Amino acid sequence: MDLQPVLDDIVATLEPQLGAGKVASYIPALASVSPRRLGIALRTREGAEYRAGDANTPFSIQSVSKLFTLTLAMRHLGDTLWERIGREPSGNPFNSLVQLESEQGVPRNPFINAGAIAVADRLVSCCDSARADILALLSSLSGETIVFDEEVAASEASSGFRNIALANFMKSFGKLDNDVAQVLDFYFHQCSVAMSCVQLARAAAYLCSDGRHPLTGEAVVTERQARRINALMLTCGTYDAAGEFAFRIGLPCKSGVGGGIVAVLPDTLSLCVWSPGLDETGNSLLGMKALELFVARTGLSVF
Ligand code: GLN
């Protein structure tokens, strides 16, 4: 199937809706991004790349970074990672505090903020520099130099009251080993990373090739770990909309409040869509529609 016309058509179909949704404003540095952007990029397992719309424009990857910190943590820690983090959908917003109290500071999964902060804590413990390691992983996977956006990181730090609360709450249950400030410094930096759809589609390619690096073929994670990451993306990657994503799209996805969504069809392709306007669950409104159109037009879905 020629995928280029499919991507071009998705962008053309959604063009009249550009600007729909609400750009995340609780992180001040994200509030100024134009909602009238839409990009889509795709990479097949064989390495063919396709792109349409604003596919080369870097954006704030935000929670899409949780995919890659989870990958690093699974590589370093194996199954011990799961002593402090669950693997169930939360059914709650990504930044919710409510379950943490009744579940003694153990977050439901690694993709809600509490879970990602718990992963960040483990990485701060086991890496010489967690910051350097995440940039090295993303740069290696995408084949380009990836950096933090220090303005976004500072903006998150100055407005991250909920994340500060979540981290302190977990610390009070004895579930964080490191200083809250140190863990959050890493967490805010991982969220601030700027990447384009093309770079993210390539960076996620190991998830559609049994854990193998898209450019070198080396193991990024084992085949079993890649399968597990995909399972977590499907069940938890889009927070309390994960059921709706599975129903409407049927691909493992990981979203972020910058408006990016990475999706994977195991053994076949990885793709990334970006449009900054969000729906009420914090997922990209047009990004979700673009994925829905993609699956409808190609029939490519895990179901
Ligand atoms: N940095 C954002 C936060 O901590 C990430 C949330 C998201 O992308 N869903 O709130």
Side-chain angles (χ1 to χ4, degrees), residues 3-140:
L3 293 167
Q4 188 60 48
V6 177
L7 299 197
D8 289 338
D9 184 55
I10 291 171
V11 170
T13 304
L14 293 176
E15 148 89 49
Q17 297 177 51
L18 284 182
K22 274 206 177 117
V23 173
S25 57
Y26 74 100
I27 300 169
L30 297 185
S32 54
V33 177
S34 164
R36 300 186 56 80
R37 311 300 297 267
L38 175 63
I40 179 163
L42 180 155
R43 186 181 195 280
T44 67
R45 184 182 175 138
E46 292 72 36
E49 294 186 345
Y50 304 87
R51 62 192 74 180
D54 298 312
N56 289 313
T57 309
F59 60 89
S60 190
I61 72 170
Q62 293 295 317
S63 284
V64 178
S65 66
K66 295 171 182 173
L67 195 53
F68 301 100
T69 49
L70 174 66
T71 294
L72 266 187
M74 285 173 78
R75 224 154 78 170
H76 280 294
L77 299 159
D79 281 346
T80 62
L81 178 66
W82 304 112
E83 288 163 9
R84 287 198 185 159
I85 303 164
R87 302 187 290 261
E88 294 297 340
S90 69
N92 275 312
F94 62 85
N95 55 6
S96 170
L97 281 133
V98 290
Q99 277 162 346
L100 266 188
E101 167 110 70
S102 55
E103 298 178 4
Q104 275 82 48
V106 177
R108 275 285 174 103
N109 68 66
F111 290 151
I112 50 173
N113 285 11
I117 292 168
V119 170
D121 177 60
R122 303 301 300 268
L123 287 176
V124 166
S125 294
C126 72
C127 301
D128 283 342
S129 166
R131 279 206 208 184
D133 286 8
I134 191 64
L135 290 184
L137 176 68
L138 291 170
S139 301
S140 157

Side-chain angles (χ1 to χ4, degrees), residues 155-178:
S155 180
E156 290 218 44
S158 66
S159 60
F161 306 113
R162 266 187 179 256
N163 290 320
I164 295 165
L166 286 166
N168 277 301
F169 208 35
M170 287 189 282
K171 186 81 179 171
S172 77
F173 282 107
K175 304 294 189 201
L176 291 189
D177 294 329
N178 299 284

